[in-house]
Amino acid sequence: MNKTGPKITQLSTKLHQRGVIPQIAITIILGMIASLSLPPLFIFPSILAFILFLIHASNSKSTWRSALLFWGFAFGWFTASLYWISASLFVDISLEILILPLSLFALPAFLSLFWGLAGVFIFKCGRTAESRIMYSALFISISELLRSVLLTGFPWNSPSNLVLTNDYLSQVVSLIGQSGSIFLVLISISGICFLFLNFWKIGFFCILPLLLSIAFGVWRLEGVSVTAEAEKNQRFIVRLVQPNVPQKERWKPEYKNEQIDKLLALSALNETPVSLIIWPEAAFPSIWPNAKNQFTNLAKNTLPENTQLLAGMLRFDLDKKLYNSALLFNENGHLTGHTDKHKLVPFGEYIPFRDSYVFKHLRLFGNKIDVSKGSESELLRTKDNIKLGILICYEIIFSNLISSQDRPDVIINLTNDAWFGKTIGPYQHLSYARLRAIEEGLPLVRVANTGVSAAFNYKGVILGKIELLKQGILDIPLSLQQQITIYSQFRWKILLSIIFILVLYSVLLDVIFLKRQKNKKINEWY
């Protein structure tokens, strides 16, 4: 008999006897360790910390202790994996440095409330310690869905990202999306918990969807769905321009001309004919159309013939409202179309409660004017009638921003991660771009000021990249081959089906374990 399970439960029982403070401290540490399994580290053995936590938390003796333990684990998870956000405060040190404790600890503490709430429902619904393990998969997943939509939403570092640890496993996103992958990951972790506790049949049944997902991924990645000649005929060449401008220099007048010269020089660097040149988010260091004449003259004299330019720029409309935009120009520097960002970053692009005393008098965050929310992204069309779906900055982390009715031919993500230097943040951002490509079954191009700029095909296979904090260009012969994925067709219907099945299975396990517990007590009585 495997003695691992009894040893874990005995250790958990002793820990529960020590009081709640030591338990919270340990669960915070376990959360930090478990977060190492996220991209870009992908230290998969660290998932053992998640397993140990679930087994321990399932033995909580009260609702409030369960809530505190789940909150503590999530606090460790988010603190360790979102530390890089605070790097932005050191770009140009000012009064904003005063909010360092808030970005380091208050944000993770707030995000962890969703998991704490899940802990309440886990304890209330699960009548045995074993059944609470399965309820953990259900309610943590639901709490993550709520975190992705409430208060503008911030679905960063969801457990769903663990599907990226394996190329084959990642393909399951095309079936169930990022949201459904949360359930898959947590059900699999619950299954491993059951194996540790010697419930072999239940454990295998919980891990079976994971094994089937890998098998599906092998089929999708290895299968040949188009001939090489057909794929070649669908290609157009894009040039990714990564200027690598330090954030502290981006809006200083003395660096303006240098930045413009760099962008144009990189754009015209090779004689290789390209269809589309792409600049990152807000790359041009002036606000359109204030610098219209200057830009048009420079572009006309510099851009290669028969080439269009997609440029990230800040833009004023006729009412002097400011937008974070993507502007499409022809080879003469004339504007042919634009789209505006509509998922804005709180405290980065606009200040909630702008008129409150704190923000009026302390002048935190530096914004003199808020960026306005654009309408839902409209597709831009090249002169060859290629439809471009534009997602600016962290819009790429959200599912369902790509329309199922009017699908683009390619997703383009313009971003600027210069705020975060050489941290794990830009790599995490890159992983979300890859998820979108697989989820939607569309090729994707990501262009970042300081990197990582990259291109993916519709299966999320990387076609090339420019490393972090490197200046350069990358010409990609991009195939327009795409696939209307199961997820892109059904979206929330798939998610509701998963929740329904998991609720039924959780209730069934609760009944089974409760019956087992009663029979055990009867046997002990006799």
Side-chain angles (χ1 to χ4, degrees), residues 18 36 103 111 134 159 176-177 202 236 250 262 265 317 328 344 371 393 395 397 406 423 441 443 499 507 519:
R18 288 183 172 271
L36 300 177
S103 62
L111 297 177
M134 183 53 64
I176 59 177
I202 296 173
F236 81 117
R250 291 192 71 222
K262 180 187 293 187
D317 67 3
L328 185 63
L344 302 178
V371 175
C393 189
E395 286 183 323
I397 75 174
D406 191 15
T423 65
I499 293 175
V507 172
N519 290 338

Side-chain angles (χ1 to χ4, degrees), residues 24 27-28 30-32 34-35 49-51 53 68-78 112 115:
I24 293 176
T27 55
I28 289 174
L30 289 176
M32 289 180 169
S35 74
F50 210 137
I51 295 163
F53 161 73
L68 286 174
L69 291 181
F70 278 92
W71 178 90
F73 181 84
F75 180 72
W77 174 279
F78 291 122
S112 302
W115 287 48

Side-chain angles (χ1 to χ4, degrees), residues 276-279 308-312 326-328 380 388 390 412:
L276 183 67
I277 296 170
I278 308 175
W279 292 357
Q308 290 182 278
L309 169 67
L310 180 68
L327 281 65
L328 185 63
L380 298 181
L388 312 177
I390 312 298
I412 297 181

